[in-house]
Amino acid sequence: MHSLHVDLGDRSYPILIGSGLLKDPGYFEESVRGKQVLVVTNETIAPLYLEMVLAALNGFAKVDTVLLPDGEAFKTLDTVNRVFDTLLEKRHDRSTTIIALGGGVIGDMSGFAAACYQRGVDFVQVPTTLLSQVDSSVGGKTGVNHPLGKNMIGAFYQPQLVLIDIDTLTTLPDRELSAGIAEVIKYGMICDAPFFEWLESNMDALLARDPEALAYAIQRSCADKAAVVAEDERESGRRAILNFGHTFGHAIEAVQGYGNWLHGEAVAAGMVMAAELSKLRGWISAQDVDRLRALLSKAELPQQSPADMAVDDYLQAMSVDKKVQDGKLRLVLLHALGSAQIVADTPKEQLIEVLRTCGAR
Ligand code: NAD
Ligand code: GLY
């Protein structure tokens, strides 16, 4: 078992990464402070892992569960309301702990419910997709989508514990594994060039789900993310680099209809757009962009815009991005491979040129 620490003063917490962790009651017992627990999961994950988690919680907490519908399209306030309904119907008090068992959709909604219920209750993340293990379970961003914008309603709310059992990845569909790899590649691009090189050498092992390779990639990604979050918890500056490729990616997700392109797939295409823009500014080389494309291609991730999206679709969707300030679009670009910067002065013509290069109509 590997342990990391997210250093946020009195909101600090551990990230535990290993095999067989869900079967061990000890990890839950240490982090559940009250006597009530609500496990939030969905109808896909419940048959696979709920029983294991209930067995681990058995004996020291009164446990209720709520099964939400599966999918990004259900990441809404209406669905979160079902969590509140259960908490109230089952008389959960302020000492309750919400356990999120699932991918980023379950984690983001459960965390938001935990932030709001009685103005804040304890919260444990048990991420079961690669994407949620390397990104969404760490750092305290929680929330839901709005038809007009991705993740537009939410709160910063840190968990008490992130418990990553890599055994859960054995049941993950290939397409979801690739989507998670997109966020792993992101860390190499924005802040960790040696990790990018490691990925170039080890992508086959990751795709083959080699446990050692997966555990290393998860540890390294979480360590990179934890360092950025510790520096800027509420994204007043540097944390925005974690959104590399996301401004374009969120536009793809929103315009395509939530769930049609997976988040990681949209981020992959978005990272190519951001890399092309960085190249156009004379910062990174054509060879750097080719290396990104080659890695994405190996991981079977998209590098182009959906064919039915027009430049105007992007411009409109991107105008409601959370990084927009005073009407100005801010994008994360690369000064070098492994070094990202937030820029607010992208000329519109360059943006349009890159969108066209990447296949937008
Ligand atoms: P997801 O939660 O939709 O999970 C993907 C699919 O895999 C779902 O159908 C799920 O039921 C299924 N699944 C989950 N675990 C499984 C397992 N072990 N075996 C088999 N099937 C399993 O998607 P995701 O990629 O985990 O998360 C995407 C979401 O995360 C998006 O909403 C995105 O906005 C959000 N996100 C949030 C942050 C953050 O900082 N909070 C960061 C990145 C992404
Ligand atoms: N996924 C972006 C962030 O956590 O800031």
Side-chain angles (χ1 to χ4, degrees):
M1 200 268 291
H2 189 88
S3 172
L4 294 166
H5 180 74
V6 185
D7 192 3
L8 291 169
D10 60 2
R11 292 177 308 292
S12 297
Y13 52 94
I15 305 171
L16 307 182
I17 304 162
S19 170
L21 305 194
L22 289 189
K23 291 188 182 137
D24 189 331
Y27 302 114
F28 288 114
E29 207 161 359
E30 261 176 42
S31 61
V32 172
R33 294 190 283 198
K35 297 235 170 312
Q36 288 174 304
V37 166
L38 179 70
V39 180
V40 181
T41 188
N42 73 25
E43 53 216 8
T44 307
I45 299 150
L48 298 169
Y49 301 110
L50 181 57
E51 210 173 299
M52 201 183 285
V53 170
L54 294 182
L57 290 164
N58 188 26
F60 63 89
K62 178 190 165 294
V63 186
D64 294 302
T65 57
V66 58
L67 256 62
L68 303 179
D70 186 4
E72 184 75 35
F74 295 101
K75 190 174 150 183
T76 61
L77 280 177
D78 277 352
T79 309
V80 173
N81 220 13
R82 289 168 64 165
V83 179
F84 297 140
D85 290 346
T86 311
L87 286 163
L88 287 163
E89 280 160 18
K90 303 285 185 183
R91 304 273 186 274
H92 282 248
D93 63 31
R94 290 180 92 172
S95 69
T96 194
T97 298
I98 295 182
I99 296 182
L101 173 66
V105 170
I106 289 292
D108 281 11
M109 286 196 290
S110 307
F112 187 52
C116 299
Y117 187 63
Q118 301 201 17
R119 301 199 181 87
V121 295
D122 282 358
F123 167 46
V124 170
Q125 287 270 20
V126 183
T128 61
T129 61
L130 180 62
L131 187 139
S132 55
Q133 294 178 353
V134 299
D135 193 351
S136 63
S137 63
V138 174
K141 279 191 180 175
T142 73
V144 295
N145 299 328
H146 185 278
L148 292 181
K150 169 95 178 147
N151 293 336
M152 278 292 160
I153 319 294
F156 285 100
Y157 197 68
Q158 303 294 343
Q160 265 61 49
L161 165 71
V162 180
L163 189 62
I164 301 179
D165 189 333
I166 63 167
D167 295 349
T168 57
L169 298 179
T170 53
T171 54
L172 195 66
D174 287 345
R175 189 177 164 199
E176 298 290 351
L177 185 78
S178 289
I181 289 174
E183 299 278 15
V184 174
I185 293 172
K186 175 187 79 180
Y187 296 111
M189 295 295 290
I190 59 171
C191 64
D192 194 348
F195 185 36
F196 188 87
E197 282 170 28
W198 182 90
L199 289 168
E200 290 180 312
S201 306
N202 290 277
M203 188 53 74
D204 288 333
L206 283 182
L207 293 168
R209 303 181 196 224
D210 172 76
E212 263 181 45
L214 282 171
Y216 180 77
I218 294 166
Q219 281 161 32
R220 185 93 178 216
S221 301
C222 287
D224 284 341
K225 178 155 187 183
V228 174
V229 169
E231 212 179 295
D232 177 24
E233 181 185 5
R234 297 176 71 92
E235 200 168 307
S236 44
R238 181 166 165 78
R239 182 168 178 165
I241 67 166
L242 296 172
N243 287 321
F244 177 62
H246 284 55
T247 303
F248 298 102
H250 286 166
I252 295 173
E253 285 185 88
V255 175
Q256 292 299 305
Y258 295 121
N260 290 320
W261 272 53
L262 299 183
H263 176 70
E265 293 170 341
V267 165
M271 288 196 295
V272 175
M273 294 170 189
E276 289 284 1
L277 203 44
S278 311
K279 183 185 85 181
L280 206 58
R281 293 191 74 140
W283 291 346
I284 63 170
S285 66
Q287 196 199 3
D288 291 331
V289 182
D290 288 345
R291 284 174 72 186
L292 171 63
R293 284 183 181 274
L295 208 46
L296 294 173
S297 161
K298 208 163 190 186
E300 296 187 16
L301 285 161
Q303 299 151 51
Q304 286 280 103
S305 166
D308 62 354
M309 265 179 81
V311 165
D312 275 350
D313 293 331
Y314 281 94
L315 297 182
Q316 198 168 334
M318 286 161 74
S319 70
V320 291
D321 186 80
K322 285 191 291 309
K323 286 188 296 307
V324 169
Q325 255 177 20
D326 305 325
K328 269 203 168 150
L329 182 63
R330 295 185 316 136
L331 290 170
V332 183
L333 300 185
L334 299 175
H335 256 290
L337 203 155
S339 169
Q341 193 185 323
I342 301 132
V343 297
D345 61 348
T346 305
K348 199 170 173 184
E349 314 78 65
Q350 286 194 357
L351 192 55
I352 292 171
E353 184 182 334
V354 159
L355 287 167
R356 292 240 157 84
T357 307
C358 292
R361 280 190 289 115

